[in-house]
Amino acid sequence: MEKRVALESRGRNPSQLKELNLDNCRSTNILGLTDEFVNLEILSLNNVGLTTLKGFPSLPKLRKLELSDNRISNGLNFLNGCKKLTHLNLSGNKIKDLETLKPLEEFENLKNLDLFNNEVTCIEDYRSKVFALHPSLKYLDGFDKEDREAEDSDAEEEDEMNGNNDSEEDGSDVEEEEDDEDISLSAVYNENLEESSASSLYEGSDVSEEEDVDEEDGDGENDADGEHNNKVQDGEENADGVPEESTRGKKRKHEDDDEN
């Protein structure tokens, strides 16, 4: 156990440790744990093989002590230096009678006691007698006086804190997202309206411009046709510079001479 204590301490001063896990390290008695662990709050000694608690140090801030699956049958008075103890797990040990539990009366803050798989649990009216022996006790073997299952207070507090924070943050995020979505939708809508209005204006102007161009083209063509007709009627010169009427006359005269 001494080597395991040194290993778990990792070179830190004992007064700096708040939690220490020594599960499965084999020892029949307490070794390596001293009164120097003044700030230790959680200590786990499950399945170590302890037969006695003699030499257990005074740990004034210890709240939770795990001693399950050992061979402890008495000597709970050696825990008297842990006045702030609230959780004590003695399941799977060799406790046979209520007399062995009497030293626990001094633990005024004890809320949760586990004696599962001890012979003492076979005593008639065991639960009511243990609750009567320890008025501060709230849960015995995982259930309260009305046989309601115990809740993990530490986990519950942590969940509540995380849950509240998350819900508030999530709510604010959702509101911000909704606001952003509304703004973006309105912006898109307005943009579409502007584009449609602009396009309609452009289309109208294009149509009018096309109509104007068509009218101008039409006028040009009509004017060209009119000028051509006028030229023809007026007997304007052909490509050789000779009036077309005079040319026709020359042709007729030439034909008459040939006949003669």
Side-chain angles (χ1 to χ4, degrees):
M1 182 180 286
E2 289 177 300
K3 291 181 179 180
R4 179 67 178 275
V5 172
L7 178 64
E8 294 293 335
S9 297
R10 298 175 184 175
R12 292 172 291 179
N13 190 292
S15 62
Q16 295 178 315
L17 297 176
K18 291 186 177 182
E19 183 173 353
L20 191 59
N21 189 322
L22 302 175
D23 292 350
N24 305 310
C25 70
R26 308 307 297 176
S27 181
T28 57
N29 58 333
I30 302 297
L31 297 172
L33 286 174
T34 66
D35 295 341
E36 294 178 346
F37 293 85
V38 291
N39 291 313
L40 200 62
E41 296 180 5
I42 300 174
L43 175 60
S44 188
L45 289 163
N46 296 322
N47 192 35
V48 173
L50 294 173
T51 58
T52 178
L53 293 174
K54 186 177 180 179
F56 199 91
S58 177
L59 304 174
K61 292 188 177 181
L62 191 67
R63 297 183 296 103
K64 187 173 183 179
L65 178 58
E66 295 281 343
L67 291 168
S68 66
D69 300 320
N70 285 288
R71 292 180 287 169
I72 299 169
S73 59
N74 52 37
L76 297 182
N77 55 296
F78 293 113
L79 300 177
N80 289 344
C82 309
K83 299 297 184 182
K84 290 189 176 181
L85 199 64
T86 60
H87 292 68
L88 178 58
N89 186 357
L90 289 167
S91 63
N93 279 279
K94 306 293 183 181
I95 299 173
K96 298 180 180 180
D97 51 53
L98 296 174
E99 189 70 21
T100 303
L101 300 176
K102 277 196 174 182
L104 299 181
E105 291 176 340
E106 297 186 18
F107 295 96
E108 297 179 356
N109 298 313
L110 189 62
K111 303 294 183 185
N112 197 323
L113 176 62
D114 197 339
L115 295 170
F116 179 74
N117 203 20
N118 279 271
E119 291 186 33
V120 68
T121 59
C122 298
I123 294 176
E124 186 177 358
D125 296 328
Y126 147 77
R127 288 182 58 80
S128 60
K129 289 178 181 178
V130 173
F131 275 115
L133 188 64
H134 306 287
S136 66
L137 202 61
K138 185 175 181 180
Y139 297 108
L140 176 60
D141 303 336
F143 293 88
D144 65 8
K145 293 179 181 180
E146 284 75 31
D147 289 333
R148 290 176 297 194
E149 189 172 2
E151 298 176 355
D152 190 340
S153 59
D154 294 336
E156 186 178 21
E157 290 176 2
E158 185 177 354
D159 290 341
E160 287 179 356
M161 291 177 64
N162 294 336
N164 290 335
N165 292 336
D166 292 342
S167 62
E168 291 177 359
E169 293 176 358
D170 292 343
S172 61
D173 292 341
V174 170
E175 290 178 359
E176 290 178 359
E177 289 178 359
E178 290 179 352
D179 293 340
D180 293 340
E181 185 177 357
D182 293 339
I183 292 172
S184 61
L185 287 175
S186 61
V188 171
Y189 180 71
N190 292 332
E191 185 178 353
N192 290 336
L193 285 178
E194 292 175 358
E195 290 179 356
S196 61
S197 300
S199 62
S200 62
L201 291 174
Y202 290 142
E203 290 174 359
S205 61
D206 293 341
V207 171
S208 61
E209 289 178 358
E210 290 177 358
E211 290 178 353
D212 293 340
V213 171
D214 291 341
E215 290 177 358
E216 291 177 358
D217 293 342
D219 293 340
E221 291 176 358
N222 293 334
D223 292 343
D225 293 340
E227 290 177 359
H228 178 71
N229 292 333
N230 290 332
K231 288 179 181 179
V232 171
Q233 291 175 0
D234 294 340
E236 291 184 354
E237 297 177 352
N238 58 12
D240 295 331
V242 180
E244 291 186 1
E245 279 298 326
S246 60
T247 302
R248 294 192 193 99
K250 287 181 179 182
K251 288 181 179 179
R252 292 193 189 98
K253 185 177 180 181
H254 181 72
E255 290 175 356
D256 293 338
D257 291 339
D258 290 338
E259 289 176 0
N260 294 327

